[in-house]
Amino acid sequence: SYVKVFLCGWLFRAVHVSCRLIMIPLLLHLLAKEAYAALVVVSSLEGWFLLLDFGIGTSLQNYLSEKRAKKEDTKGFIKTGFFLACIACILGFFLLFSTLPFMAKFFLGNFLPLSSGKGLFAMGGVFLLLGTFGSIASKVLFAEQKGYLVYLMQGASSVLSLVFFLTYPKEITLLTACFALIGIPSLASLFVAFFVFSKVAWKAPLEPFVIKRARSFFLFSFLAALVTLSDTLVAPRTLQVEQVIEYNFLCKVFGIASFAYGSVIQGLFPVCSEEQALGLFTTVFSRIKKGALACSLGVVLFSFGFWLFSSTIEKVFTIELHALPIICFALYLCIRVFADFYAMALQSRSQMKPFFLLVPVQACVSLFLQYALSSFLGISGLLLGLSLSYLLTVSFSLPVLFKKRFA
């Protein structure tokens, strides 16, 4: 089952990225650049909207996995998950519409008039909230070792979005494009929720202690998002329309490299956990160094290949690319690779306290540097700000902490 989930994950990623890249020239042809940039900004907020499950999904998955391992009844947890997902969705809708004017102006004010921005943000936000509701249900399938169904559904929804744009007439509105780009995948996720929660045993008892773990998961996810998603807060405020389009394209392309080394880290997690339990810290340290060096080399080679064919890519995707942002993206990923490997080693030993102390500091440093540098250097400044935030915090502190605690 784990192999099936892993292979489907890779397949989904390949299908998803391919479809999204093909959509770029189509959308640039169908929409004005300002409208496309606004649509890109809204879709990039998916990670923030996923936080509006308030940690319920991960908590639910953990409890279900534990109960399945012990062959205990899980009906009460699925019922609890459904009710908590509904409450989270209602709270999400309240937050969305109570802050709509401010959010629309903050994220889309540089690209659209306020009236148009509010309409786009409201529609995109509703779809993203429905996707968040579906993501909680998806955690149930992962706990049941049926995560491949989630990946297959996501891949199919990306294909449907692409088919929509390929077959749609030349004239298209921004809201229609929002439905195709964000709505179709969100509705597919909602379909997963109907599939999962249709099996709810209404007479089963509620398990309210799911909330206890959810709080910790939400806090950690929120702190992590302040770092990993901080660029989505800064980019709409400091980048020009063309820069937003270029940065979005680079994020999609380099997301392939990020997913590749992330899979290596995910695979090493249980190995490092077992080795540290046996006291083999020298072996773990050696494995981390070799893995990080190999993945960094892979990032460099990937970046060089991308730069080598950048002129061809520009023609195919009708997009303008520059060498310096490509170099800065490669630098950022190489720095992050080492930090992520040491973070994995500490987390596999359940050492979470350093992250609760370091991540808020890194988030503040990251937001300040990104805003300051991107105001003058555009995309390159944004990426340099991210890189420096890692170098000044976790990149040097995590290796020291690992050696101090375990070596």
Side-chain angles (χ1 to χ4, degrees):
S1 297
Y2 289 113
V3 173
K4 190 185 293 185
V5 170
F6 180 76
L7 291 176
C8 285
W10 271 95
L11 175 64
F12 155 71
R13 189 67 184 180
V15 171
H16 174 75
V17 172
S18 299
C19 290
R20 291 296 166 126
L21 288 174
I22 294 171
M23 286 182 208
I24 290 175
L26 293 173
L27 283 166
L28 285 172
H29 177 71
L30 294 169
L31 299 172
K33 285 187 176 181
E34 291 79 6
Y36 174 74
L39 185 60
V40 161
V41 168
V42 173
S43 64
S44 70
L45 298 176
E46 180 182 10
W48 289 106
F49 275 86
L50 286 173
L51 287 177
L52 293 176
D53 79 336
F54 301 103
I56 294 165
T58 307
S59 177
L60 182 64
Q61 181 179 344
N62 278 14
Y63 274 114
L64 288 173
S65 296
E66 291 172 8
K67 295 298 178 181
R68 277 176 54 84
K70 297 176 183 178
K71 301 186 183 302
E72 295 178 1
D73 184 60
T74 61
K75 294 178 181 178
F77 288 94
I78 296 177
K79 177 183 175 181
T80 304
F82 171 73
F83 280 112
L84 291 177
C86 290
I87 294 170
C89 198
I90 292 169
L91 287 174
F93 277 111
F94 173 76
L95 289 172
L96 171 64
F97 287 101
S98 62
T99 62
L100 183 58
F102 169 76
M103 291 296 185
K105 186 175 181 180
F106 181 88
F107 287 104
L108 306 179
N110 291 340
F111 313 112
L112 296 174
L114 183 58
S115 57
S116 301
K118 286 170 63 177
L120 176 62
F121 201 92
M123 185 176 188
V126 167
F127 283 134
L128 291 173
L129 281 172
L130 294 178
T132 300
F133 183 85
S135 73
I136 297 175
S138 298
K139 295 295 195 299
V140 176
L141 292 179
F142 278 109
E144 295 175 349
Q145 298 183 17
K146 297 177 182 177
Y148 58 90
L149 295 175
V150 179
Y151 288 131
L152 289 173
M153 184 63 70
Q154 290 173 336
S157 67
S158 296
V159 173
L160 284 175
S161 295
L162 177 60
V163 170
F164 182 93
F165 286 117
L166 287 171
T167 57
Y168 201 83
K170 292 182 179 180
E171 296 294 330
I172 189 171
T173 66
L174 181 56
L175 294 183
T176 303
C178 177
F179 166 77
L181 187 67
I182 304 174
I184 291 177
S186 295
L187 292 175
S189 183
L190 192 61
F191 178 80
V192 171
F194 284 128
F195 173 76
V196 171
F197 291 132
S198 63
K199 303 174 184 178
V200 169
W202 300 109
K203 294 183 179 180
L206 290 172
E207 308 287 356
F209 45 85
V210 170
I211 300 173
K212 185 176 180 180
R213 284 190 191 177
R215 289 182 298 182
S216 299
F217 285 123
F218 171 70
L219 177 59
F220 181 75
S221 298
F222 177 74
L223 291 175
L226 286 176
V227 176
T228 58
L229 300 176
S230 57
D231 57 337
T232 62
L233 302 177
V234 179
R237 305 295 302 171
T238 60
L239 301 185
Q240 301 299 316
V241 173
E242 291 79 7
Q243 292 174 325
V244 169
I245 294 171
E246 182 182 358
Y247 183 65
N248 175 257
F249 183 81
L250 291 175
C251 286
K252 285 181 170 58
V253 171
F254 279 93
I256 300 171
S258 179
F259 182 77
Y261 88 74
S263 298
V264 175
I265 291 176
Q266 187 178 28
L268 286 176
F269 192 103
V271 177
C272 290
S273 181
E274 292 175 9
E275 289 178 341
Q276 289 184 85
L278 296 172
L280 302 175
F281 301 114
T282 304
T283 303
V284 173
F285 183 63
S286 175
R287 194 183 297 279
I288 290 171
K289 288 198 297 184
K290 291 178 181 178
L293 284 170
C295 289
S296 295
L297 179 60
V299 168
V300 171
L301 292 175
F302 177 86
S303 305
F304 179 74
F306 178 66
W307 172 78
L308 201 62
F309 293 98
S310 58
S311 58
T312 304
I313 294 170
E314 283 181 316
K315 295 177 182 177
V316 172
F317 292 97
T318 63
I319 193 170
E320 189 176 359
L321 299 172
H322 301 86
L324 187 57
I326 295 173
I327 295 171
C328 289
F329 224 125
L331 175 66
Y332 163 62
L333 283 186
C334 286
I335 293 171
R336 184 170 170 176
V337 162
F338 280 88
D340 287 349
F341 265 87
Y342 279 101
M344 175 273 296
L346 287 167
Q347 289 173 14
S348 67
R349 189 64 172 169
S350 299
Q351 295 295 316
M352 301 302 293
K353 187 177 178 180
F355 298 97
F356 286 108
L357 297 174
L358 285 169
V359 173
V361 176
Q362 185 187 4
C364 294
V365 172
S366 180
L367 286 168
F368 173 76
L369 290 176
Q370 283 184 75
Y371 189 87
L373 294 175
S374 63
S375 298
F376 297 99
L377 300 174
I379 298 173
S380 301
L382 198 72
L383 293 166
L384 286 173
L386 281 165
S387 301
L388 287 171
S389 74
Y390 274 87
L391 287 174
L392 295 172
T393 55
V394 294
S395 288
F396 78 85
S397 57
L398 292 184
V400 172
L401 286 169
F402 178 78
K403 293 176 185 177
K404 183 178 178 180
R405 288 171 182 262
F406 306 124

